[in-house]
Amino acid sequence: MCGIIGYVGFRDSKEVLLNGLEKIQYRGYDSMGLLIVTKQGFKRVRSVGDIRQLRKKVADAGGNSGSWGLGHSRWATHGPPVEANAHPHKAEHIYIVHNGIIENAEELKAWLKGPFLSETDSEVVAHCILDSYKKNSSLKEAVFDTISKIKGEYAIAVMSEKDPNELIAFKKGPSLVIGLGEKEIFLSSDAQVFLPYTNRVIFLKDGEMAHIQNRETLYFYSDKKQKIDKPITLLDSYFTETEKKGYPYYMLKEIYEQPDCIANLIETHVNKKACKVEVGINNEKDFLDQIVQKGRCNIVACGSSYYAALYGKYAIEKGSRISIGVDMASEFRYRSPVLSSRTPLLLISQSGETADTLAVMRMAQELSLPVLSLCNVAHSSLDRGASAQLYMSAGMEKGVASTKAFTSTLFILFLLSIVLGRKKGSLSLSEEQKIIPSLLLFPDQMKEVLSREKECVAAAHLLRALKSFIYLGRDIYYPLALEGALKMKELTYIHAAAYPAGEMKHGPLALVDADTAIVGLAPKSHVSKKTFSNLEEARSRGGKMIVVGTRGDKESVSLSDCFLSIPSCNTYLSSILCVLPLQLIAYHTACSLGHNVDQPRNLAKSVTVE
Ligand code: F6R
């Protein structure tokens, strides 16, 4: 979850590192730090909080700059976000930045002498390198020796005051990328950090080390300590710089970008002339045929991407009669799933760096299962590791709470349900042709829903005073209820849960009182009457009713304390429309409570530890 950066070149490294940290603080913003190699020696500055606090501290510290350095943005795993736990950590002359978890930190701590000045597992690595350095007198050998002792998944970058012209990086798990400029070398968890300077990058693989000796010389080593050649990748497609464009938060900007994201996906995947959906998959072009042949596919993901996967299950099973297994990656990897040979796997991840999802990819690779990735970030670890690729194409998503990547994923899964339905023979061409006009209309319907933001501001006014939220939906609306509850809890820090509406009587109804908000998803559909009955039952117990329903539908209006309307459309599309007011009520409730919605407490955008 943390972000690592490094620089060796001719520029003012302080500026390169601070600008880089600003870009990777989505990985963690509990605390930050940097190390600059100046003519007077190594200078370390650390601070609690995000990049603003670090910039201030660096400015206050003043002093000389240099053209080498390391930086780190932290998401706390071991020890609270206090300055002593911020990186870089040091042991005498050794400095390290670390992303990941050292599983045997306690054992190593007992064996090493210390003194340990932090509560982190990371500091142990610095001491381990120091101990080896004393025996080896070579930073490279000391790092090799250390990685043979430490257990876990991690990426590290190391410098020593005794070898100020060396920077060593090693990866086993979390991503690490080298950028090659003209007489300058960059290092980062994420290539976007150095894209303003170069698009020539080298992705380290697990077990590989990069040894930078000066701004033009670097060597790569395998886990067997052998020198290796590494291919250079030219990043042609990556996110361009993003600004807030006048919005108070990235999240709100990203909510409003959703109609354009969907319009973009329509341009790519819908053949308007032939009135046909054509989803283009990179590399294994016959991936969807493999799914049809097997009659089964497993979809695995985390968080909002998992809820999208659940939507995919409902839509694909109904549309194509192909059986879809859905799992959270953190469960799938440990629960010994029954995996029949060659059953295709779809892994969904906005970032493409989620540790649990990557672990499932490695499991699949060992079993030689075909893996299709659906990522937003091209060149991410998942995107590079999968055998076939599809893209959300939503542009950079900066808000920690996913919005546009989520709806783009839902839309692609709906498109997949159409193609798979056709390939399986469950959906005729004429049925498909009837769906196409509603797809083409969809971006405008999204815009129309967003134009009613005021309704959501009013709902937020009611919601901010309540103690808990229960989101209810049936069938295809249930995954959206889960997503709505997640948005609400992660932004407002108020407890929210989602249930299939029919489950309320089996227990959760006991929670309902006058301090409970019931958010019902009930647009006109084959299940709306049933959902209304469940909402009525919750209302009779005193719940405050927020209903997302079809515009003009009297039944939902009469049930609601606050009615959030969406236009009438195809059930699979109306469920996607439902998420827009849910995003907006979470956003406005959180804003009215004074929270920073782009950086909710305790969270990070890219979850690179399990
Ligand atoms: C919630 C949210 C998270 C992510 C989850 C998976 O708003 O954004 O739940 O969906 O951490 O992330 P990715 O999709 O990058 O694997």
Side-chain angles (χ1 to χ4, degrees):
M1 322 260 286
C2 305
I4 287 179
I5 60 175
Y7 179 69
V8 173
F10 54 86
R11 301 173 201 266
D12 179 353
S13 58
K14 191 172 63 189
E15 282 314 308
V16 176
L17 295 172
L18 285 171
N19 292 339
L21 283 174
E22 185 150 12
K23 290 198 179 118
I24 53 166
Q25 66 174 338
Y26 70 85
R27 288 175 160 260
Y29 35 81
D30 289 344
S31 58
M32 301 221 158
L34 45 81
L35 172 74
I36 306 289
V37 182
T38 74
K39 286 207 176 84
Q40 288 72 38
F42 280 28
K43 190 168 149 190
R44 176 174 67 158
V45 184
R46 301 180 294 172
S47 74
V48 173
D50 66 13
I51 188 68
R52 290 165 298 180
Q53 280 79 34
L54 183 66
R55 274 193 194 282
K56 184 169 181 320
K57 204 148 176 209
V58 169
D60 292 347
N64 295 328
S65 195
S67 49
W68 286 59
L70 293 174
H72 188 268
S73 66
R74 178 169 188 250
W75 183 86
T77 57
H78 294 58
V82 296
E83 191 174 315
N85 290 335
H87 298 222
H89 285 286
K90 75 176 280 210
E92 294 184 14
H93 56 92
I94 302 287
Y95 289 77
I96 67 130
V97 287
H98 161 229
N99 173 22
I101 289 183
I102 308 300
E103 288 169 1
N104 57 341
E106 284 311 311
E107 290 156 44
L108 291 169
K109 235 178 188 175
W111 165 69
L112 292 157
K113 305 233 169 8
F116 295 103
L117 305 176
S118 77
E119 294 163 72
T120 65
D121 52 342
S122 316
E123 192 187 6
V124 176
V125 181
H127 281 275
C128 217
I129 296 173
L130 176 67
D131 182 74
S132 301
Y133 191 96
K134 284 178 181 160
K135 294 164 196 156
N136 291 293
S137 300
S138 146
L139 190 59
K140 178 164 71 83
E141 286 308 319
V143 174
F144 267 129
D145 185 46
T146 297
I147 57 188
S148 70
K149 292 187 177 118
I150 57 181
K151 293 192 184 134
E153 300 219 322
Y154 52 88
I156 51 170
V158 186
M159 292 190 75
S160 161
E161 277 168 313
K162 293 210 171 153
D163 309 278
N165 295 325
E166 287 184 54
L167 194 161
I168 292 181
F170 177 84
K171 158 188 153 67
K172 184 181 162 231
S175 61
L176 213 46
V177 197
I178 303 286
L180 301 175
E182 283 295 318
K183 298 192 188 330
E184 58 185 340
I185 299 172
F186 303 83
L187 162 78
S188 177
S189 307
D190 182 341
Q192 61 146 321
V193 162
F194 43 74
L195 279 179
Y197 311 104
T198 181
N199 68 341
R200 297 169 66 229
V201 307
I202 295 175
F203 292 102
L204 286 190
K205 286 193 176 148
D206 283 351
E208 291 180 349
M209 173 191 280
H211 184 189
I212 302 172
Q213 299 193 327
N214 61 50
R215 62 193 198 184
E216 289 176 287
T217 316
L218 90 159
Y219 297 104
F220 294 96
Y221 294 88
S222 70
D223 51 355
K224 311 250 168 355
K225 298 193 189 180
Q226 271 151 4
K227 254 193 198 160
I228 49 171
D229 289 328
K230 294 278 302 166
I232 297 175
T233 305
L234 292 184
L235 296 186
D236 48 356
S237 65
Y238 215 79
F239 300 129
T240 46
E241 292 292 299
T242 56
E243 298 301 329
K244 284 191 201 146
K245 293 190 182 151
Y247 288 94
Y249 286 103
Y250 283 109
M251 182 183 173
L252 193 60
K253 176 177 88 78
E254 288 157 7
I255 288 174
Y256 273 91
E257 281 171 352
Q258 292 176 104
D260 288 344
C261 296
I262 301 301
N264 182 25
L265 290 174
I266 291 172
E267 281 306 312
T268 316
H269 298 300
V270 178
N271 182 337
K272 293 181 200 161
K273 250 192 185 160
C275 235
K276 212 173 160 203
V277 178
E278 288 168 353
V279 176
I281 289 179
N282 286 4
N283 289 318
E284 284 183 48
K285 304 229 178 289
D286 67 341
F287 201 96
L288 300 183
D289 297 310
Q290 296 180 42
I291 296 180
V292 175
Q293 271 156 27
K294 265 281 161 195
R296 185 169 173 81
C297 173
N298 290 312
I299 313 182
V300 181
C302 296
S304 291
S305 293
Y306 165 75
Y307 298 148
L310 204 56
Y311 168 94
K313 174 185 170 70
Y314 284 36
I316 296 170
E317 287 196 340
K318 202 163 278 187
S320 69
R321 311 313 298 152
I322 290 171
S323 165
I324 303 291
V326 174
D327 267 273
M328 291 174 188
S330 54
E331 287 296 307
F332 189 81
R333 59 184 293 199
Y334 292 116
R335 74 168 178 83
S336 304
V338 179
L339 295 169
S340 51
S341 74
R342 304 291 302 159
T343 299
L345 187 64
L346 167 58
L347 296 180
I348 303 177
S349 174
Q350 187 284 131
S351 62
E353 301 294 349
T354 299
D356 285 316
T357 312
L358 291 179
V360 173
M361 177 181 77
R362 287 191 287 274
M363 256 170 89
Q365 285 166 339
E366 273 164 32
L367 296 166
S368 305
L369 301 182
V371 176
L372 171 64
S373 61
L374 174 52
C375 292
N376 196 32
V377 180
H379 307 291
S380 58
S381 303
L382 180 58
D383 181 40
R384 282 181 284 119
S387 47
Q389 292 79 16
L390 242 176
Y391 297 97
M392 299 171 193
S393 308
M396 177 176 262
E397 188 177 69
K398 279 203 146 187
V400 164
S402 187
T403 51
K404 61 178 182 169
F406 177 74
T407 44
S408 296
T409 305
L410 297 183
F411 194 73
I412 289 174
L413 289 166
F414 180 50
L415 296 184
L416 283 181
S417 76
I418 296 172
V419 179
L420 288 168
R422 185 204 318 135
K423 284 182 185 285
K424 184 77 194 300
S426 326
L427 185 79
S428 68
L429 198 61
S430 67
E431 283 171 312
E432 179 172 353
Q433 284 171 343
K434 276 190 207 135
I435 301 174
I436 302 295
S438 54
L439 290 179
L440 302 183
L441 201 67
F442 193 59
D444 283 338
Q445 291 189 314
M446 292 178 98
K447 279 187 195 155
E448 204 209 311
V449 175
L450 292 173
S451 73
R452 298 177 163 255
E453 187 181 350
K454 274 195 189 135
E455 291 177 358
C456 300
V457 178
H461 193 71
L462 171 81
L463 294 173
R464 56 163 294 167
L466 299 177
K467 301 262 180 320
S468 73
F469 299 90
I470 294 179
Y471 286 67
L472 299 177
R474 274 177 185 260
D475 191 28
I476 195 75
Y477 299 100
Y478 169 55
L480 283 304
L482 287 163
E483 170 65 5
L486 178 61
K487 289 287 94 92
M488 188 57 89
K489 65 188 143 198
E490 70 183 326
L491 297 180
T492 64
Y493 320 147
I494 301 171
H495 186 259
Y499 302 99
E503 278 296 294
M504 282 300 276
K505 283 194 279 284
H506 299 284
L509 201 53
L511 292 168
V512 178
D513 63 17
D515 286 326
T516 312
I518 304 293
V519 184
L521 307 190
K524 278 271 179 223
S525 74
H526 62 293
V527 287
S528 48
K529 287 271 175 218
K530 304 271 177 206
T531 310
F532 288 146
S533 309
N534 303 127
L535 294 179
E536 191 60 64
E537 286 152 11
R539 187 163 75 147
S540 323
R541 272 83 187 172
K544 300 280 182 303
M545 308 304 291
I546 316 295
V547 180
V548 184
T550 306
R551 184 149 318 136
D553 177 40
K554 290 200 179 88
E555 213 165 347
S556 19
V557 175
S558 71
L559 255 175
S560 339
D561 293 299
C562 264
F563 179 58
L564 305 174
S565 68
I566 61 166
S568 163
C569 61
N570 170 311
T571 308
Y572 295 96
L573 294 174
S574 82
S575 55
I576 305 179
L577 282 183
C578 278
V579 83
L580 304 179
L582 299 186
Q583 293 167 347
L584 285 169
I585 58 174
Y587 171 85
H588 283 293
T589 309
C591 286
S592 75
L593 292 168
H595 300 323
N596 177 346
V597 292
D598 280 341
Q599 295 182 340
R601 72 182 183 196
N602 307 339
L603 300 180
K605 182 117 190 105
S606 193
V607 182
T608 59
V609 292
E610 66 169 297

